[in-house]
Amino acid sequence: MALTATFSLPDRATLAQRWQALEARSDASFFLRWTWVGAWLDSYAIRPDLLAVTDGEGRDVALALVGHAMQPRLLGGVATLSLNQSGDPQADRPYVEYNGLLAEAGREAEATAAALAALARRRDWRALRLSGIAPDSPLLGLPARRKTRVDMSPVYQVDLDAVRAADGDYLSLLSANTRSQIRRAMKDHGGPLPDVATAGLDDIAAWLDDMAALNGGRHADNAWDSATFRQFVATLAARGLASGAVELLRFTDAGGLVGLLLNFVQDGVAMNYQSAFADPRTAKDKPGLLCHAAAVGHYAARGLSRYSLLAGKDRYKQSLSTCEEALEWWQIERFSPRLEAEALLRRLLRRPASA
């Protein structure tokens, strides 16, 4: 049965109903599920298009959100589509990963083909941003004049099966240097790893306030300085805690608070999305390493398969990992005679007149 792909702007209630109905029939990543998508839409003043692939009976086979914005370039703005992003840098601060289509399990290939055909037919764009996709994503099959891989990031992970096989001795799987750093920090904290507490709904506001306070002033480009981002995280936590898809962990010892982690949990994988750590107590203290090591033990004891630190090239993520995969960021540029002519005209209009 042939599939049809269309673009529309459904109301939020209808979108939520359709998205969750398809989600129940999919193997989609956390970042394509309504816990994430709904929190994002409800926190930011955006209204991306809905790309819907349907079958002959009108049932959704694949869904995606497509933002449209003018991307600044040296010679003028370029009409750009963004998959499951808005195109507004502030609204896209949550940083989608494991991106793609929300598709019915087993029908991903035919749904992707229909979606790509619909994107190719759409005439109001010149560039397409694909953020946080798998290296072999079929979305890269879209015909284009130029395809540029803007970035590639490792996703460092801990194999929790290996931790259990080592009788819970996670540190034995790490380098001698990382083991030494964690053990020195443990000694500074009185011996064992920090205790782990899991937030309930009544804890969310206070614990997230602590995360915001601990992250304050850490660096210039701090998402936690944005009230909208803080609201997004609070909405995400409130909706995800009830289902177990989101966990907020607090780490303490006899000396007080060591840190907090906001994690996603899906299909046996825990993913660390946000973190906040107390100031080091000594020159050799590593509160971040202690919290992550305690989280590894917490999830290994629960029988999960992996603990992911999500995308990022940070040295500490690599030092804590026992395995890794990768995600990529691409920009696809199409050739359009009309759009090329319009861009040339804009350049000519900006050129100073000859003396």
Side-chain angles (χ1 to χ4, degrees):
M1 185 180 296
L3 300 181
T4 302
T6 59
F7 293 92
S8 64
L9 277 171
D11 63 77
R12 190 64 54 82
T14 300
L15 176 60
Q17 183 179 34
R18 292 175 63 181
W19 200 280
Q20 290 172 295
L22 179 57
E23 179 182 308
R25 296 182 278 116
S26 79
D27 296 324
S29 76
F30 176 87
F31 293 89
L32 296 177
R33 294 179 179 264
W34 190 251
T35 300
W36 171 275
V37 173
W40 178 56
L41 292 174
D42 289 343
S43 300
Y44 291 90
I46 53 174
R47 198 179 180 197
D49 294 343
L50 175 67
L51 169 57
V53 179
T54 57
D55 62 18
E57 298 177 352
R59 190 175 75 154
D60 291 321
V61 178
L63 298 172
L65 297 176
V66 179
H68 187 285
M70 296 301 292
Q71 183 180 33
R73 298 275 185 91
L74 285 176
L75 298 177
V78 172
T80 303
L81 301 183
S82 300
L83 183 68
N84 295 313
Q85 291 186 296
S86 68
D88 175 359
Q90 289 306 310
D92 294 337
R93 283 301 296 268
Y95 296 131
V96 65
E97 299 185 27
Y98 293 96
N99 198 4
L101 302 179
L102 175 70
E104 183 175 331
R107 305 190 70 179
E108 293 87 354
E110 58 180 323
T112 299
L116 293 181
L119 286 166
R121 289 193 302 268
R122 184 167 168 164
R123 311 312 301 169
D124 62 343
W125 65 275
R126 186 177 167 198
L128 171 66
R129 294 169 60 231
L130 299 173
S131 298
I133 62 173
D136 58 352
S137 172
L139 293 171
L140 293 171
L142 182 68
R145 179 174 62 119
R146 181 185 300 114
K147 299 178 184 179
T148 304
R149 190 176 68 185
V150 179
D151 195 13
M152 178 175 66
S153 174
V155 180
Y156 292 116
Q157 304 173 343
V158 179
D159 181 347
L160 299 181
D161 291 329
V163 174
R164 286 187 289 272
D167 295 324
D169 187 4
Y170 165 53
L171 299 189
S172 70
L173 305 177
L174 304 180
S175 70
N177 180 54
T178 302
R179 283 200 306 272
S180 176
Q181 290 185 57
I182 294 175
R183 285 173 176 158
R184 284 199 306 260
M186 290 169 64
K187 183 177 180 181
D188 288 344
H189 282 253
L193 290 169
D195 295 326
V196 185
T198 303
L201 291 174
D202 293 339
D203 299 315
I204 292 174
W207 290 21
L208 290 183
D209 283 346
D210 288 342
M211 290 191 80
L214 290 175
N215 277 303
R218 295 281 180 171
H219 47 81
D221 186 24
N222 184 4
W224 286 89
D225 290 338
S226 165
T228 310
F229 179 79
R230 295 194 300 272
Q231 179 58 45
F232 164 74
V233 173
T235 302
L236 193 63
R239 296 177 183 177
L241 257 64
S243 65
V246 178
E247 289 192 345
L248 184 54
L249 304 182
R250 187 180 187 91
F251 301 84
T252 58
D253 61 14
L257 178 63
V258 182
L260 300 105
L261 298 176
L262 179 72
N263 298 336
F264 307 146
V265 181
Q266 183 182 315
D267 299 331
V269 179
M271 297 161 275
N272 174 233
Y273 177 61
Q274 291 292 318
S275 61
F277 307 116
D279 290 331
R281 298 175 187 175
T282 69
K284 296 181 180 180
D285 189 14
K286 302 287 184 181
L289 297 186
L290 292 178
C291 290
H292 285 299
V296 167
H298 172 73
Y299 290 118
R302 286 172 45 183
L304 273 67
S305 62
R306 278 178 293 149
Y307 178 62
S308 172
L309 296 162
L310 291 178
K313 302 172 185 177
D314 310 79
R315 180 69 181 90
Y316 83 88
K317 292 188 177 187
Q318 183 178 19
S319 69
L320 289 167
S321 70
T322 63
C323 55
E324 67 181 87
E325 52 192 26
L327 292 174
E328 298 179 344
W329 281 253
W330 285 80
Q331 179 148 301
I332 296 176
E333 299 199 28
R334 74 190 306 176
F335 176 77
S336 165
R338 179 178 63 83
L339 293 175
E340 294 290 338
E342 290 176 356
L344 176 60
L345 179 60
R346 285 196 299 270
R347 291 195 294 269
L348 291 173
L349 291 174
R350 279 192 293 271
R351 182 176 298 171
S354 301

